[in-house]
Amino acid sequence: MTVHPPVTGHCDRLAEALAAFRAHAPLVARWGERLAEVLTAGGRLLAAGNGGSAAQAQHLTAELVGRYRDDRPAFSAIALHADTSSTTAIANDYGVDAVFARQVRAHGRPGDVLMLLSTSGASANLLSAADAARAAGLRVWALTGPAPNPLMACSDESLCVEAPRAATVQELHLVAVHMMCGAFDAALESGRWREGTEGRRVS
């Protein structure tokens, strides 16, 4: 069977971008550890994206509500796009740019984390969500494509994947999601944070 260059080229682009992406490991590890602190204290992760990035956001929340590797307690994590009744009602009544921001105002509390994923870093509904989150006292983290971009500028911290194609950016966002979940689980296993019966930090 003949393998055409566009197929193998996809692998080549991913391998090249992955080599540079490794430099972001300390940031991703810090996010996982911070998330362990927030969620074991009864906080919540909110996540949002559009299109393929919405799938990545939902992948992240599924790993936290379910499990990443070994069995552990469930933690509060919501993919904002997944509530189709809310998103369509908000889009109809307030406009598409408000679909995530209004949910952030409803679900977010000071100290929670909002994770926003975007290959362009320029989606208006994510920028509005970031503004709403920061106004409500949430910490905003962004996974984006190449820097600089507007979402990077309005987030507390960002990981900008330097890759020329959206597909490669999305693939490395998934790598970041898995790395963060690994760091999250490692923080729990270390005993640095222990979950109380109500999901609150006990020491």
Side-chain angles (χ1 to χ4, degrees):
M1 179 176 119
T2 301
V3 178
H4 298 285
V7 177
T8 55
H10 184 102
C11 294
D12 294 339
R13 286 188 296 272
L14 178 58
E16 181 178 354
L18 180 60
F21 177 82
R22 290 177 64 92
H24 295 293
L27 172 62
V28 179
R30 187 168 73 250
W31 282 357
E33 292 169 0
R34 174 60 180 162
L35 201 56
E37 183 178 12
V38 170
L39 299 190
T40 57
R44 174 176 290 158
L45 171 72
L46 305 178
N50 296 297
S53 294
Q56 305 282 29
Q58 193 166 346
H59 190 123
L60 171 59
T61 59
E63 301 284 27
L64 295 169
V65 176
R67 67 177 185 181
Y68 176 55
R69 288 193 306 262
D70 300 324
D71 190 33
R72 55 156 166 72
F75 293 95
S76 182
I78 300 173
L80 299 180
H81 70 278
D83 184 349
T84 55
S85 294
S86 290
T87 55
T88 53
I90 294 166
N92 186 61
D93 294 340
Y94 299 97
V96 174
D97 290 357
V99 294
F100 299 135
R102 192 164 179 86
Q103 291 184 79
V104 167
R105 295 187 189 102
H107 300 302
R109 300 293 182 269
D112 287 349
V113 175
L114 174 65
M115 172 68 79
L116 299 173
L117 298 90
S118 172
T119 58
S120 69
S123 300
N125 55 10
L126 299 182
L127 297 175
S128 295
D131 289 342
R134 296 187 70 180
L138 283 73
R139 179 164 291 276
V140 180
W141 298 340
L143 286 171
T144 77
N149 61 71
L151 186 56
M152 172 192 73
C154 66
S155 300
D156 293 297
E157 293 186 279
S158 60
L159 191 166
C160 302
V161 174
E162 296 299 326
R165 299 201 180 187
T168 306
V169 172
Q170 287 179 340
E171 287 159 355
L172 289 177
H173 284 179
L174 181 57
V175 173
V177 163
H178 284 160
M179 289 168 64
M180 186 163 55
C181 289
F184 177 88
D185 282 3
L188 296 181
E189 292 163 3
S190 73
R192 184 175 176 184
W193 295 285
R194 294 185 290 115
E195 187 184 34
T197 57
E198 299 300 322
R200 301 288 174 179
R201 193 193 309 177
V202 294
S203 64

